[in-house]
Amino acid sequence: MSDVGSRVWPALGRHQAVAAVATVLDFAWMAFAVERLAVAPGRAAFTGAALGAVASFLLGRAWAFRARWSGAGLQAARFALVAGVSATLNGLGAHVMHDLSRVGYLTARVLIAVAVGALWNFPMQLGFVFRDAGSPARASWR
């Protein structure tokens, strides 16, 4: 396994476990908000994604990416930027798939969440949010 692969694959596995926890919080809120509070699916998806993002940052920093760098504030700012884009992508995707394409809101949310997680969240967390100035992971992603 290459030096990059030896760092990326374990981080990806831990990231997926963190994503599962964050997704449970995200989807539980979304379903509750839509079914019990009559919140529109796009808005419920956005706020659920934001809740999941908080859990994802805390678990991602401590465990998934094992960020030992002392710059937690800068990481939180970077994470907020990435999570804001992620929440927007999730909310817009749910709106387009559910409201415009008439796909069931849970199906739409799952499909969008998988795409956003794989194509946006993991690459940005690995290469931007939790990179350390002196870490081998940063050097390998330049």
Side-chain angles (χ1 to χ4, degrees):
M1 184 180 291
S2 74
D3 190 42
V4 172
S6 68
R7 288 176 177 77
V8 171
W9 290 113
L12 178 59
R14 291 187 303 268
H15 177 266
Q16 293 307 310
V18 167
V21 170
T23 298
V24 167
L25 292 172
D26 176 348
F27 279 51
W29 167 256
M30 183 189 66
F32 176 76
V34 169
E35 300 295 331
R36 300 287 187 211
L37 303 177
V39 174
R43 287 186 182 154
F46 180 87
T47 56
L51 177 62
V54 171
S56 182
F57 175 76
L58 296 173
L59 292 170
R61 177 174 162 69
W63 183 64
F65 296 99
R66 298 181 177 163
R68 303 294 185 241
W69 179 48
S70 62
L74 180 56
Q75 288 174 344
R78 289 176 178 166
F79 189 91
L81 176 65
V82 170
V85 171
S86 178
T88 301
L89 292 171
N90 276 286
L92 287 174
H95 168 70
V96 168
M97 287 191 79
H98 173 73
D99 296 348
L100 302 180
S101 300
R102 301 295 181 217
V103 174
Y105 81 90
L106 285 175
T107 301
R109 186 65 177 87
V110 168
L111 294 173
I112 295 301
V114 169
V116 171
L119 300 173
W120 175 255
N121 294 346
F122 178 71
M124 291 302 291
Q125 287 180 23
L126 180 68
F128 176 63
V129 174
F130 295 114
R131 67 168 192 211
D132 291 351
S135 78
R138 178 170 186 222
S140 66
W141 285 94
R142 285 187 211 193

